[in-house]
Amino acid sequence: IFALWDSVRQELTLARDRAGEKPLVYFWNGETLAFASEMKALAEFHDRRLDPTAVDAYLALGYIPAPLAAIKNCRKLPAGHLIRFRSVAHGTPEEIGNPVPKFAIGQVPQPERWWIAPNGAEQKYRSNEALVDDLRARVGEAVRIRLRADVLIALSLSGGVDSSVIAAECVRQGAQPEAFTVRIDGDETDLPYARQVASGLGLKHTVVDLSAKQVASHFNDVLFHYDEPFADSSSLACFALGEALSGRYRVVLDGDGGDEAFGGYRHYEYIGVKQTLKAAAAAAGFCDGVGSGRAGVYVQSKSLFRASDRKRLMADHGGQVAEDWLREVLSSSFGEMSAHALQRALRTDRELALANGLTYKMDIALSAFGIEGRAPLLDHAVLEWGQTLPARELVRGREKKVLLRRAYADDLPHEVLHRPKHGFGAPVDRWMDGPLQKSVEEMVPCPWFAEAAQCGVSGQRQWTLFAFSAWAERWGARW
């Protein structure tokens, strides 16, 4: 991210990186402009009043997508966008160069896209070997660039395909980073795979334990650093990783972006058939998504709370119907969409969940400890090239990450490359009944949480309401 002041044109330009690895939030009430990489830095400018439209989006997605922000008069710049504020010329020529310019009252500039992974024509290759060589060259170059540092570099090794590929590329290029794996509350689902990869590549491997007791003791710290409501429970694991690395490492590599670049999520299986059926169901009124196009149907089909539930929860707070904020988010983040259902789904996930949820989760957790996260698979050259891959090289029926797995078949164990997809979530039900029970009980006066308990809402939906209630209390947010 960067801010550039043009003293000749009297214009301030704010810009955000292509994949949204770093956040950029700004406050603009028509008279005062302020910007930062974190919402908490703008606290002296706003009155902590919630934006109902942003809250409605949070209830749907578990995060707040740019350009929306939790607090009124605050906005987030979408990934790959810039925004320009033009100063009002005032006073003498000497005064016009004032480092605190006066901006046009009432001016509401709109974000402009400066980068997008193009919907290019599919690449034509003479052989599968040429395609594999091209992928390895691009991923290898992305890793090589991110190994540049004058400090020690660590590796976040989840035991999944993406972080294992990054580990293999590090070793191929002569690096031997210490690998770290987070074990959440004793769950060893991922640990054997991570150990197998680390052992096979000759990497030192450290297991970071996140216990229920630690969750309770660090929960308020997490609420401080995640200064917008955020319902991804794995943020606690990322926070534990940052704490473990603190004082030892300043840079860590991870595998973020691999699912969105090479087709790794379960919902990509038979995506064309799924989206056709969902679009028909939405048109018939059986599910959300009417009026938002196919991308809107896709987003709504993954919502935590349906539009009818959100309307009930937001009845007293001026919440918008789903399509209102969804149109704003989609029009800001999306250009012309690909005609292929898989490419549409990949791009939707990159522009929404990845750029607003996954990257935010990791950046905030690591930045809390002064650590820089680097994700080679978010390299723009990798993303742009991946957009030109034939769909059959990404997903075939239930087989996912087809090309990526084939490209590293000689470097990584078969068990790792072909293991079932496993989400990086936390046992939120057990936590809310155990170490966080006191915090949950303190949230009961919140109408949302009390109503959720009465209606039998559980699991991730209950965690979403709890996370919002706890965040609002920590930051003194109000309607």
Side-chain angles (χ1 to χ4, degrees):
I1 58 174
F2 71 83
L4 175 67
W5 171 248
D6 187 331
S7 60
V8 176
R9 300 184 62 184
Q10 292 286 290
E11 185 176 76
L12 175 70
T13 299
L14 305 177
R16 191 176 175 201
D17 67 273
R18 296 174 177 89
E21 293 184 76
K22 294 292 181 181
L24 197 160
V25 59
Y26 57 95
F27 170 86
W28 175 239
N29 63 358
E31 295 181 351
T32 301
L33 172 67
F35 58 91
S37 59
E38 294 185 336
M39 185 79 75
K40 62 175 70 71
L42 305 179
E44 66 179 272
F45 298 98
H46 59 72
D47 58 6
R48 303 196 181 190
R49 289 193 176 276
L50 292 163
D51 183 333
T53 303
V55 176
D56 184 67
Y58 166 80
L59 290 172
L61 302 172
Y63 57 86
I64 298 176
L68 305 177
I71 302 298
K72 286 184 177 180
N73 294 325
C74 291
R75 305 287 277 179
K76 298 200 295 288
L77 191 62
H81 280 68
L82 58 82
I83 190 169
R84 294 186 174 95
F85 292 86
R86 179 71 57 88
S87 173
V88 177
H90 62 286
T92 66
E94 291 77 17
E95 291 173 336
I96 292 177
N98 192 309
V100 184
K102 180 180 179 182
F103 294 94
I105 295 177
Q107 177 192 16
V108 185
Q110 296 300 311
E112 306 170 35
R113 181 178 284 281
W114 69 268
W115 178 85
I116 190 170
N119 289 321
E122 290 186 357
Q123 294 281 352
K124 303 297 182 182
Y125 286 86
R126 290 171 295 179
S127 65
N128 286 334
E129 290 75 16
L131 191 59
V132 164
D133 290 344
D134 204 351
L135 182 147
R136 291 186 63 112
R138 292 173 189 275
V139 173
E141 176 64 8
V143 171
R144 185 188 69 80
I145 292 172
R146 286 158 182 80
L147 284 173
R148 294 173 180 168
D150 54 5
V151 295
L152 292 175
I153 295 178
L155 172 69
S156 175
L157 184 63
S158 69
V161 174
D162 304 324
S163 61
S164 299
V165 164
I166 302 304
E169 278 296 338
C170 286
V171 172
R172 189 172 72 87
Q173 298 186 36
Q176 290 285 319
E178 182 177 358
F180 290 80
T181 303
V182 179
R183 176 168 49 193
I184 303 176
D185 210 14
D187 182 2
E188 297 206 358
T189 304
D190 294 320
L191 193 54
Y193 300 99
R195 282 177 170 153
Q196 188 176 7
V197 171
S199 175
L201 295 174
L203 298 177
K204 181 180 179 181
H205 186 221
T206 299
V207 178
V208 179
D209 277 305
L210 175 61
S211 67
K213 184 178 180 180
Q214 288 173 302
V215 169
S217 63
H218 290 325
F219 191 60
N220 285 333
D221 293 334
V222 173
L223 290 175
F224 170 76
H225 289 287
Y226 287 93
D227 48 12
E228 274 199 314
F230 190 58
D232 189 336
S233 59
S234 64
S235 60
L236 291 154
C238 295
F239 197 83
L241 174 65
E243 186 177 39
L245 296 176
S246 179
R248 302 172 57 190
Y249 292 97
R250 300 296 298 274
V251 176
V252 59
L253 269 60
D254 63 65
D256 281 357
D259 289 315
E260 295 81 4
F262 296 108
Y265 292 125
R266 287 195 184 102
H267 55 260
Y268 297 150
E269 298 173 5
Y270 305 107
I271 189 68
V273 174
K274 288 179 180 178
Q275 288 309 299
T276 299
L277 293 175
K278 288 174 181 177
F286 295 120
C287 68
D288 297 341
V290 179
S292 303
R294 285 184 176 271
V297 169
Y298 177 75
V299 172
Q300 294 295 349
S301 68
K302 298 167 65 178
S303 293
L304 291 165
F305 289 91
R306 290 189 57 180
S308 57
D309 296 322
R310 303 199 304 275
K311 185 177 181 180
R312 172 175 52 83
L313 290 168
M314 297 292 293
D316 298 328
H317 307 297
Q320 305 296 309
V321 296
E323 286 77 12
D324 286 349
W325 62 259
L326 189 55
R327 285 194 187 96
E328 181 179 9
V329 169
L330 296 184
S331 63
S332 174
S333 297
F334 290 74
E336 183 179 349
M337 293 291 284
S338 168
H340 197 286
L342 176 60
Q343 292 294 357
R344 287 198 306 270
L346 287 165
R347 185 160 164 193
T348 302
D349 281 330
R350 285 197 301 270
E351 300 281 343
L352 287 177
L354 178 65
N356 296 283
L358 297 179
T359 55
Y360 174 72
K361 174 181 67 177
M362 186 60 79
D363 179 71
I364 294 296
L366 296 178
S367 295
F369 299 95
I371 299 169
E372 177 190 352
R374 299 179 180 179
L377 298 180
L378 290 180
D379 187 281
H380 70 94
V382 173
L383 293 177
E384 290 172 352
W385 180 76
Q387 193 71 17
T388 68
L389 288 172
R392 64 181 180 278
E393 296 296 346
L394 301 173
V395 179
R396 296 179 189 172
R398 300 190 66 181
E399 186 182 2
K400 299 173 291 296
K401 291 183 182 173
V402 174
L403 179 60
L404 188 65
R405 296 175 197 272
R406 187 166 74 237
Y408 287 88
D410 295 334
D411 301 83
L412 296 168
H414 181 273
E415 296 84 355
V416 172
L417 287 176
H418 296 280
R419 60 172 295 201
K421 178 69 176 175
H422 180 253
F424 191 49
V428 292
D429 281 324
R430 190 163 71 242
W431 284 358
M432 285 188 287
D433 288 336
L436 292 175
Q437 185 175 7
K438 182 178 179 181
S439 297
V440 170
E441 291 172 351
E442 292 173 351
M443 291 302 106
V444 170
C446 171
W448 279 10
F449 204 68
E451 188 172 5
Q454 294 166 10
C455 296
V457 175
S458 62
Q460 184 59 41
R461 281 156 55 93
Q462 190 174 34
W463 177 264
T464 300
L465 297 182
F466 170 58
F468 176 85
S469 302
W471 169 86
E473 182 181 60
R474 171 64 182 81
W475 284 99
R478 55 201 177 100
W479 294 105

